[in-house]
Amino acid sequence: LGHRDYGEEPSQENGVIQSTQGLYSSTSPPVSDDEPFSTYFEEKVPIPEDVTQMFSFRKLWAFTGPGFLMSIAYLDPGNIESDLQSGAKAGFKLLWVLLGATIIGLLLQRLAARLGVVTGMHLAEVCNRQYPTVPRIILWLMVELAIIGSDMQEVIGCAIAFNLLSMGRIPLWGGVLITIIDTFVFLFLDKYGLRKLEAFFGFLITIMAVSFGYEYVMVRPDQGELLKGMFLPYCENCGSAQMEQAVGIVGAVIMPHNIYLHSALVKSRQIDRGNKKEVKEANKYYFIESTIALFISFLINVFVVAVFAEAFYDKTNIEVNAKCNESGSPHTDLFPLDNSTLQVDIYKGGVVLGCFFGPAALYIWAIGILAAGQSSTMTGTYSGQFVMEGFLNLRWSRFARVLLTRSIAIFPTLLVAIFQDVQHLTGMNDFLNVLQSMQLPFALIPILTFTSLTSIMDDFANGLMWKIGGGVVILVVCAINMYFVVVYVTSLNSVALYVLVALLCIAYLSFVCYLTWQCLIALGVSCLDVSCLGSRVSNNRHAVFIEEQPAYDT
């Protein structure tokens, strides 16, 4: 993996990423003759000079922004639904899983931010420059699938919020169309300045915090049980349903496209990459900012889990039906008259809050969901933009790029909204979670590979502990998510689907093995490097040939 001018073909042999001793940090990011290289960030935020202090709040404020945009993926409607289901199915018992998943997410986001800061390029661009053509195209398609799956959850989350706020007057497809239009409008807010755009995202996060915080204060969860569930890694009397929910939490929190997003967002600050002190300082402040942002997102997720754990854990359908009848709710038919455990999603969650705590709780819940869906839809669009530009090296007009990236994700969402009822979306949400879980290796393996190479990261490459720790974390996360996939597939009960899935798994695992092979070479397992092995064999043969030549006297 050597540094070279953009446009030069990658140094590849036998499909193996080649490594050289060049310092990648001296490589400039790609530029176009037509317009400066940028996706949405046509300006860069200057960093104030402050050489007298080890830590500066002014500098931290200048670096604040990318981490909060990244943290929105931890608050999207898919995460909110996972939170409320966790509370309803397991009470407070799985809060420690949420905490652990958030910490793992922070460590992975640190790698993404460091790659963007040190190289001046985001993960998709680095993949484009370093992987051979066929793996690069497959990788792009897999990441696009993850973005489409996430975007469907986010847009439909907005549509559900509009449906709740309008008391059912706005159908699901109508909410999707509204979301498409307002997303286009909001995406061009950065014309008024990048900091104003970041402030708008901060405003949406504040709405979520206030909305779900209101529900938390109103329900008044048991603080002792909450702390016990958060810090005691044990799930008493938990069965397969709680186990699957724990796996679902990890899959919902750690999202593949967010790694690509964060590595691009950090490019929005003015950093002299030739100055190691500035790069080191940028890495420090970005990590602090990401920690603060994910801490806030974690608290918001805890609000949602705690509300449903306190109010609806172990509740039955007949209990909820009676309460909704008593409150005069028009949604009583959602809950059959039986003693089965209550099953909730984003839509039913708002309804049961309205039944138990009044209409205000329902509307405030819907506002929080709308903020979550709207903000994550916008960042999802940014992700699609970065990924498509990076992998395909697109240099289109800005409107054309936004239109293409939105259309790819919106079209299947609109079809689902037209043919699906708002009350029966849980099955689709499970499928989309599985789809995103399967794409995790295609973000985690490349980010560990490239951040471990000194030819790319120079002095900022991962140390031995980060290589081992990162490898173990990625292995565990991928194993957990594969378990989630297996559980979902086995629940389909169809032999034809089993055969189809088996064939797809062979192709899928083959590509994951290829990426893992490249990653292990980058981590220092040189015996797997076929090209180097062939070179050594050739050199040994040459040496033997020389030794076998007769020695002639002069």
Side-chain angles (χ1 to χ4, degrees):
L1 274 155
H3 73 96
R4 51 191 160 74
D5 293 331
Y6 193 76
E8 183 182 339
E9 288 300 314
S11 174
Q12 295 154 359
E13 183 179 333
N14 300 324
V16 181
I17 301 176
Q18 302 299 303
S19 60
T20 70
Q21 297 303 315
L23 295 180
Y24 200 89
S25 58
S26 63
T27 303
S28 298
V31 295
S32 168
D33 295 332
D34 300 326
E35 60 175 324
F37 176 77
S38 66
T39 299
Y40 292 109
F41 308 125
E42 295 177 356
E43 65 170 297
K44 290 203 173 186
V45 177
I47 306 301
E49 293 291 336
D50 195 348
V51 296
T52 59
Q53 298 181 13
M54 291 289 291
F55 178 83
S56 168
F57 282 102
R58 289 178 64 237
K59 282 192 175 182
L60 179 60
W61 178 249
F63 281 105
T64 297
F68 281 88
L69 267 70
M70 168 273 294
S71 72
I72 284 170
Y74 292 72
L75 296 168
D76 72 345
N79 272 286
I80 301 300
E81 182 158 311
S82 174
D83 292 338
L84 64 89
Q85 289 175 346
S86 170
K89 290 180 180 179
F92 299 99
K93 299 173 187 175
L94 296 179
L95 277 174
W96 62 273
V97 178
L98 177 63
L99 176 62
T102 305
I103 293 172
I104 291 173
L106 173 63
L107 299 179
L108 295 172
Q109 299 299 158
R110 174 186 179 270
L111 296 180
R114 286 171 72 87
L115 180 72
V117 170
V118 174
T119 66
M121 290 186 290
H122 56 75
L123 180 56
E125 291 174 310
V126 178
C127 290
N128 178 49
R129 291 161 65 88
Q130 306 303 339
Y131 283 122
T133 304
V134 174
R136 185 169 69 237
I137 296 300
I138 296 174
L139 200 58
W140 168 63
L141 291 173
M142 294 297 101
V143 178
E144 282 291 348
L145 272 178
I147 292 172
I148 290 171
S150 174
D151 207 55
M152 289 178 71
Q153 288 179 316
E154 293 154 1
V155 173
I156 287 176
C158 283
I160 289 173
F162 283 123
N163 185 274
L164 287 172
L165 288 171
S166 65
M167 293 298 292
R169 295 183 182 88
I170 299 177
L172 198 62
W173 61 266
V176 169
L177 290 177
I178 294 172
T179 305
I180 294 170
I181 294 168
D182 62 30
T183 299
F184 269 106
V185 173
F186 291 141
L187 281 172
F188 287 91
L189 282 177
D190 68 313
K191 287 293 185 183
Y192 298 98
L194 179 58
R195 297 297 273 175
K196 290 185 177 64
L197 177 69
E198 293 173 346
F200 177 69
F201 279 102
F203 172 69
L204 292 176
I205 293 174
T206 303
I207 290 177
M208 285 183 266
V210 172
S211 299
F212 300 134
Y214 168 83
E215 310 281 2
Y216 180 86
V217 170
M218 184 177 57
V219 173
R220 290 180 292 184
D222 186 323
Q223 302 303 305
E225 288 296 314
L226 186 149
L227 292 174
K228 178 183 174 182
M230 190 180 298
F231 297 108
L232 186 63
Y234 177 68
C235 189
E236 187 178 359
N237 299 323
C238 288
S240 59
Q242 287 76 21
M243 178 68 176
E244 290 171 23
Q245 189 58 46
V247 172
I249 290 172
V250 178
V253 168
I254 303 172
M255 304 179 72
H257 70 275
N258 211 32
I259 304 295
Y260 288 87
L261 174 68
H262 199 198
S263 67
L265 293 174
V266 296
K267 294 166 57 178
S268 59
R269 268 53 181 175
Q270 287 181 1
I271 301 166
D272 180 7
R273 293 186 301 108
N275 186 329
K276 288 185 179 180
K277 182 181 177 183
E278 281 195 28
V279 173
K280 184 177 181 180
E281 185 178 68
N283 286 331
K284 177 181 76 173
Y285 282 109
Y286 274 134
F287 183 66
I288 295 172
E289 184 234 2
S290 297
T291 303
I292 295 170
L294 288 188
F295 176 71
I296 292 172
S297 73
F298 173 70
L299 286 182
I300 295 173
N301 282 311
V302 168
F303 289 162
V304 177
V305 175
V307 165
F308 283 83
E310 182 69 29
F312 307 115
Y313 176 51
D314 266 351
K315 283 282 192 300
T316 61
N317 281 321
I318 196 168
E319 290 178 279
V320 177
N321 185 290
K323 191 69 177 179
C324 288
N325 260 326
E326 182 183 320
S327 65
S329 170
H331 304 289
T332 308
D333 58 322
L334 287 175
F335 311 102
L337 292 169
D338 57 43
N339 285 316
S340 58
T341 305
L342 175 68
Q343 300 289 328
V344 287
D345 52 27
I346 289 178
Y347 181 73
K348 290 182 181 177
V351 170
V352 294
L353 283 171
C355 291
F356 278 75
F357 302 103
L362 185 151
Y363 290 124
I364 291 173
W365 169 262
I367 290 170
I369 295 298
L370 181 61
Q374 190 63 70
S375 57
S376 54
T377 300
M378 293 169 65
T379 54
T381 304
Y382 284 130
S383 300
Q385 184 75 19
F386 292 133
V387 165
M388 187 168 287
E389 284 186 349
F391 277 109
L392 304 184
N393 191 25
L394 291 181
R395 290 295 177 269
W396 294 358
S397 70
R398 182 176 177 192
F399 180 78
R401 292 179 305 196
V402 173
L403 184 63
L404 177 63
T405 51
R406 289 309 302 149
S407 300
I408 288 176
I410 286 297
F411 184 69
T413 308
L414 195 55
L415 289 179
V416 168
I418 292 171
F419 295 106
Q420 273 278 26
D421 186 80
V422 70
Q423 301 173 10
H424 303 94
L425 291 172
T426 301
M428 189 204 68
N429 192 61
D430 291 341
F431 170 76
L432 293 176
N433 283 335
V434 168
L435 180 68
Q436 293 174 79
S437 296
M438 291 185 68
Q439 312 311 317
L440 265 175
F442 307 127
L444 303 189
I445 296 176
I447 196 65
L448 181 62
T449 300
F450 297 130
T451 54
S452 298
L453 287 164
T454 54
S455 55
I456 286 183
M457 300 293 288
D458 197 9
D459 293 342
F460 298 96
N462 295 330
L464 181 61
M465 291 303 296
W466 267 99
K467 289 179 181 179
I468 296 173
V472 170
V473 164
I474 289 173
L475 180 64
V476 169
V477 169
C478 291
I480 288 173
N481 282 278
M482 286 305 101
Y483 171 81
F484 186 43
V485 172
V486 169
V487 168
Y488 177 78
V489 170
T490 52
S491 68
L492 299 176
N493 296 320
S494 170
V495 176
L497 285 175
Y498 291 162
V499 173
L500 177 62
V501 168
L503 294 174
L504 291 175
C505 279
I506 293 172
Y508 173 83
L509 292 174
S510 298
F511 187 55
V512 171
C513 288
Y514 169 81
L515 294 178
T516 305
W517 170 46
Q518 300 287 340
C519 183
L520 289 173
I521 293 173
L523 293 176
V525 187
S526 56
C527 61
L528 296 176
D529 194 338
V530 178
S531 61
C532 291
L533 182 62
S535 175
R536 283 197 296 269
V537 170
S538 176
N539 290 338
N540 289 340
R541 287 176 178 170
H542 182 62
V544 170
F545 175 77
I546 292 174
E547 290 173 3
E548 289 177 349
Q549 300 306 308
Y552 294 98
D553 294 334
T554 56

